[in-house]
Amino acid sequence: MREKITIMQKLVDLETEILQIPKIPVTAKRLGEFVLGEYDGKTNEMWIDIEHLAKEAVGACMKTICHEVYHSYQRYLVENVDWENEVLQNPYFEELRAWKQNQEGYIAPDINGYDAYQNQPLEFTARAFARDEVERIYSYIE
């Protein structure tokens, strides 16, 4: 188990370097029946469910890690952008504005339902990033 955690931490370190965001410590612990991973933007910590890490294939764990790292990236951008800059009103930044709005009104799955949770901008784009990033990583090692 320790070896898997070490590998997942190396993946987190690689992704944070690529995205140019602060490093994030990753810890394995029991998170709950349906929670595979979690990122806390206030403490800049990440957790991966210990059962998920033990039972799932490497690719599934990598997707969870990439998904949670992307949440860190989203938060970093939202918190470090000068929202007073009129350039941010350009349509090019629509997704970033949606992330900001979503962070202010995040939809929890246990309160608003799983579909609403899955379809909110922060989750939708983090899933897409994780899928694409794991495919990209596999293309280098196959």
Side-chain angles (χ1 to χ4, degrees):
M1 179 64 73
R2 183 166 299 285
E3 183 180 7
K4 279 187 175 180
I5 294 169
T6 300
I7 291 168
M8 293 299 120
Q9 182 65 63
K10 288 182 182 205
L11 177 58
V12 169
D13 293 347
L14 172 68
E15 292 298 323
T16 57
E17 186 176 320
I18 290 168
L19 295 170
Q20 298 182 358
I21 57 175
K23 299 260 186 232
I24 309 164
V26 63
T27 305
K29 71 177 189 178
R30 185 69 179 123
L31 294 175
E33 188 175 355
F34 302 108
V35 182
L36 304 179
E38 197 169 76
Y39 170 73
D40 185 333
K42 293 178 184 155
T43 63
N44 192 45
E45 295 176 285
M46 181 189 303
W47 302 278
I48 187 166
D49 183 75
I50 198 159
E51 289 183 20
H52 176 59
L53 191 59
K55 294 179 181 178
E56 294 296 328
V58 171
C61 294
M62 288 171 58
K63 261 188 194 171
T64 299
I65 290 293
C66 289
H67 178 98
E68 298 305 329
V69 167
Y70 202 71
H71 281 319
S72 176
Y73 173 72
Q74 291 166 323
R75 177 172 288 278
Y76 181 82
L77 288 180
V78 167
E79 290 179 353
N80 289 286
V81 163
D82 176 9
W83 289 103
E84 301 300 317
N85 189 327
E86 65 184 55
V87 170
L88 290 174
Q89 298 312 307
N90 184 300
Y92 183 79
F93 295 101
E94 183 176 338
E95 185 172 59
L96 183 59
R97 291 191 306 271
W99 292 349
K100 181 179 187 294
Q101 185 177 18
N102 192 188
Q103 279 186 5
E104 293 166 355
Y106 189 77
I107 300 169
D110 54 340
I111 296 171
N112 301 92
Y114 193 70
D115 286 342
Y117 162 78
Q118 285 282 88
N119 292 320
Q120 64 190 318
L122 291 170
E123 294 301 330
F124 183 84
T125 56
R127 272 194 326 278
F129 172 81
R131 180 193 63 237
D132 295 346
E133 189 64 2
V134 170
E135 284 178 17
R136 185 181 71 81
I137 291 167
Y138 274 130
S139 76
Y140 289 121
I141 57 178
E142 289 181 332

